[in-house]
């Protein structure tokens, strides 16, 4: 559909030549229920690779669930990982739907509060847990530079601790609650009423000593007619007022500034890695919609408009420049590798958030109309702190 196996190898090799690490989104949590071109009923029974009966079917996804207690299944899945590493030279994997693997209930109808009873009990699928430990052990043993990321919403303790410590051995966990929080805030709350305590709690609510990858918005939030964060912020004005040749309108001004603040706060406070999706770094408008019955099998929205960044007079280019400089500033100071930090000032009335990370002092003012002078905040290190609103100037001056 999108090229030959050799084309994929060429893509990975080209990325490596450019210094880009390439991870594969690998799906070992479930498999297609197709019988003509899938594993389902491979030998004429429903239990060749999967659990027999209802246990082998995911009630929400309509897919088949692997039987991780089967030696043949484990060998099949492990050989699949080795094949991607050695045949295509991928640098690691993002394991899809790990939550579904870890629990017999697959996370369906379950709200995880962090209580240990939710993670240790008969509801945990020990066979799947052991498989993930084995997969991580083999990958890191055979390929020491391999990176593994778990898509898990449950917060399983030890998920990103070493196997020697009794963990599952993943390098990172995706903090999926963060993009969910931002989309909820933009949908349900006026920006002057934002609950900063709740936002900061979501950004910092992760297990210490276990690395997380955070992100401001998810691919899911701009699928099938839903909006990207930029579109939630600016909506229809993105069609008419994103040109710098036109006067800045209040809606576009507010939307661009909040778009930047959301990303910088998420990047600097939310984890040990940062993730962008499909043009969202420059405020991609509209949504991504695959051909389906609901849109008459149309391909119209099945695309990303990366060309918007190349048009100099469009404000998408300005948003992209901010995102680029944000990442270059992190390259210089390394706050993602600095570990978790404590928020020293969280003033709900003033809408101010202050924290230190990697010897940088971050001060965010989310108030819709107030600016402050002589505002006192705590700082661990004495000295003069150059102040600027522009990341690129900060990078040059410091």
């Amino acid at each position: 559909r999108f090229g030959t196996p050799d084309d994929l190898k060429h893509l990975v090799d080209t990325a490596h030549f450019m210094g880009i690490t390439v991870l594969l989104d690998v799906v070992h949590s479930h498999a297609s229920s197709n019988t003509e071109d899938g594993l389902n009923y491979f030998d004429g029974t429903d239990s060749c690779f999967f659990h027999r009966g209802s246990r082998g079917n995911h009630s929400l996804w309509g897919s088949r669930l692997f039987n991780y207690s089967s030696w043949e299944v484990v060998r099949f899945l492990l050989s699949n990982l080795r094949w991607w590493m050695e045949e295509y030279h991928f640098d690691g994997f993002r394991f899809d739907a790990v939550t579904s693997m870890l629990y017999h209930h697959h996370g369906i109808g379950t709200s995880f509060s962090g209580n240990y009873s939710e993670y240790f009990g008969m509801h945990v699928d020990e066979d799947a847990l052991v498989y993930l430990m084995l997969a991580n052990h083999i990958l890191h043993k055979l390929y020491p530079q391999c990176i593994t990321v778990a898509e898990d919403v449950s917060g399983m303790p030890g998920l990103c601790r070493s196997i020697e410590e009794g963990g599952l051995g993943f390098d990172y966990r995706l903090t999926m609650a963060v993009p969910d929080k931002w989309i909820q805030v933009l949908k349900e709350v006026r920006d002057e009423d934002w609950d900063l305590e709740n936002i900061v709690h979501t950004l910092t609510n992760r297990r210490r000593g276990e690395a997380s990858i955070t992100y401001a918005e998810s691919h899911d939030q701009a699928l099938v007619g839903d909006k990207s964060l930029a579109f939630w912020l600016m909506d229809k004005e993105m069609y008419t007022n994103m040109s710098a040749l036109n006067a800045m309108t209040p809606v576009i001004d507010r939307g661009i500034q909040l778009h930047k603040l959301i990303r910088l706060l998420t990047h600097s406070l939310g984890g040990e890695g940062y993730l962008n999706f499909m043009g969202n770094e420059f405020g991609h408008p509209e949504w991504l919609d695959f051909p389906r019955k609901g849109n008459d099998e149309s391909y119209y929205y099945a695309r990303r408009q990366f060309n918007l960044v190349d048009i100099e007079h469009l404000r998408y280019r300005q948003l992209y420049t901010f995102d680029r400089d944000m990442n270059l500033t992190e390259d210089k100071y390394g706050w993602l590798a600095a570990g978790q930090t404590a928020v020293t000032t969280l003033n709900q009335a003033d809408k101010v958030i202050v924290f230190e990370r990697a010897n940088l002092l971050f001060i965010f003012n989310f108030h819709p109309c107030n600016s402050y002078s002589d505002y006192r905040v705590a700082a661990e290190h004495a000295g003069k702190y150059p102040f600027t609103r522009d990341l690129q100037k900060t990078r040059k001056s410091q």
Side-chain angles (χ1 to χ4, degrees):
R1 180 176 179 182
F2 293 110
T4 67
D6 285 339
D7 289 336
L8 178 57
K9 293 177 183 179
H10 179 68
L11 174 67
V12 174
D13 290 343
T14 302
H16 287 163
F17 179 77
M18 300 172 65
I20 299 173
T21 297
V22 186
L23 307 184
L24 177 71
D25 188 4
V26 70
V27 184
H28 284 183
S29 50
H30 60 135
S32 170
S33 58
N34 292 354
T35 55
E36 293 185 3
D37 55 0
L39 295 173
N40 195 21
Y41 284 87
F42 189 74
D43 66 345
T45 73
D46 69 344
S47 58
C48 180
F49 286 90
F50 313 108
H51 289 291
R52 187 187 306 274
S54 60
R55 188 182 176 189
N57 293 278
H58 197 289
S59 60
L60 293 183
W61 300 340
S63 52
R64 299 304 313 277
L65 298 172
F66 287 109
N67 178 6
Y68 302 104
S69 66
S70 166
W71 180 83
E72 290 83 359
V73 169
V74 170
R75 185 177 70 169
F76 168 71
L77 295 176
L78 292 177
S79 69
N80 178 238
L81 296 175
R82 180 177 180 179
W83 183 71
W84 287 118
M85 292 294 291
E86 297 191 356
E87 187 71 16
Y88 290 88
H89 297 170
F90 279 97
D91 301 293
F93 303 95
R94 178 261 203 188
F95 280 74
D96 179 76
V98 167
T99 304
S100 178
M101 298 175 68
L102 290 174
Y103 309 96
H104 293 301
H105 53 62
H106 309 297
I108 299 173
T110 303
S111 178
F112 294 94
S113 65
N115 190 293
Y116 283 141
S117 64
E118 297 167 348
Y119 310 109
F120 304 103
M122 299 302 293
H123 52 284
V124 175
D125 189 334
E126 293 185 358
D127 294 322
L129 188 147
V130 169
Y131 165 70
L132 291 172
M133 294 174 69
L134 184 60
N136 276 303
H137 170 73
I138 289 177
L139 286 172
H140 290 103
K141 190 75 172 179
L142 295 179
Y143 320 101
Q145 303 303 315
C146 178
I147 300 169
T148 59
V149 182
E151 186 203 24
D152 170 54
V153 298
S154 74
M156 166 68 78
L159 186 75
C160 299
R161 299 296 293 185
S162 69
I163 294 170
E164 290 75 15
E165 296 176 317
L168 273 70
F170 283 100
D171 296 301
Y172 297 94
R173 172 184 170 268
L174 290 179
T175 54
M176 302 173 69
V178 172
D180 290 342
K181 174 55 62 177
W182 283 124
I183 204 74
Q184 178 208 353
V185 167
L186 293 185
K187 283 182 177 181
E188 300 177 5
V189 186
R190 300 184 308 168
D191 43 293
E192 55 264 40
D193 297 327
W194 282 9
D195 185 347
L196 295 188
E197 292 183 1
N198 183 255
I199 291 172
V200 167
H201 172 74
T202 303
L203 286 168
T204 58
N205 183 27
R206 57 189 189 275
R207 299 191 180 278
R208 289 194 174 273
E210 299 194 43
S212 296
I213 293 177
T214 191
Y215 46 115
E217 67 187 300
S218 166
H219 62 296
D220 290 335
Q221 290 160 353
L223 288 177
V224 193
D226 204 347
K227 303 175 183 178
S228 64
L229 292 190
F231 213 35
W232 276 108
L233 286 165
M234 295 174 277
D235 204 62
K236 62 183 180 181
E237 285 208 22
M238 296 190 79
Y239 294 124
T240 56
N241 296 319
M242 285 300 283
S243 172
L245 302 178
N246 300 331
M248 179 78 78
T249 67
V251 169
I252 296 297
D253 189 25
R254 164 191 175 270
I256 286 177
Q257 303 314 321
L258 286 178
H259 195 271
K260 293 178 179 178
L261 283 172
I262 287 171
R263 273 160 172 70
L264 182 57
L265 180 62
T266 303
H267 199 307
S268 57
L269 186 61
E272 289 70 43
Y274 183 74
L275 179 65
N276 270 326
F277 270 117
M278 301 183 295
N280 292 333
E281 66 274 15
F282 61 82
H284 197 287
E286 299 177 336
W287 50 84
L288 186 67
D289 199 357
F290 299 107
R292 56 189 175 87
K293 291 181 179 179
N295 63 12
D296 296 325
E297 304 296 336
S298 171
Y299 282 85
Y300 182 76
Y301 287 107
R303 48 83 171 108
R304 279 305 199 203
Q305 301 176 73
F306 292 104
N307 61 298
L308 294 173
V309 175
D310 299 325
I311 305 174
E312 292 190 9
H313 67 272
L314 292 184
R315 294 188 168 102
Y316 300 102
R317 191 178 182 91
Q318 299 169 12
L319 286 169
Y320 171 77
T321 299
F322 178 88
D323 187 88
R324 179 200 64 194
D325 289 342
M326 176 175 67
N327 282 291
L328 289 174
T329 305
E330 196 287 324
D331 285 345
K332 179 176 181 179
Y333 294 102
W335 63 68
L336 290 175
Q340 290 180 252
T341 186
V343 174
T344 55
T345 299
L346 180 52
N347 192 312
Q348 183 70 21
D350 294 342
K351 301 295 183 184
V352 171
I353 303 170
V354 182
F355 58 90
E356 290 182 82
R357 197 174 184 189
N359 293 322
L360 297 176
L361 180 64
F362 291 88
I363 303 176
F364 290 84
N365 177 14
F366 279 93
H367 202 285
C369 53
N370 287 353
S371 60
Y372 305 101
S373 60
D374 301 321
Y375 199 95
R376 295 176 63 86
V377 301
E380 181 178 358
H381 303 289
K384 294 182 179 180
Y385 289 77
F387 172 77
T388 178
R389 291 181 176 88
D390 186 273
L391 281 178
Q392 193 170 22
K393 292 178 181 177
T394 302
R395 182 160 52 87
K396 291 177 179 177
S397 63
Q398 294 184 355

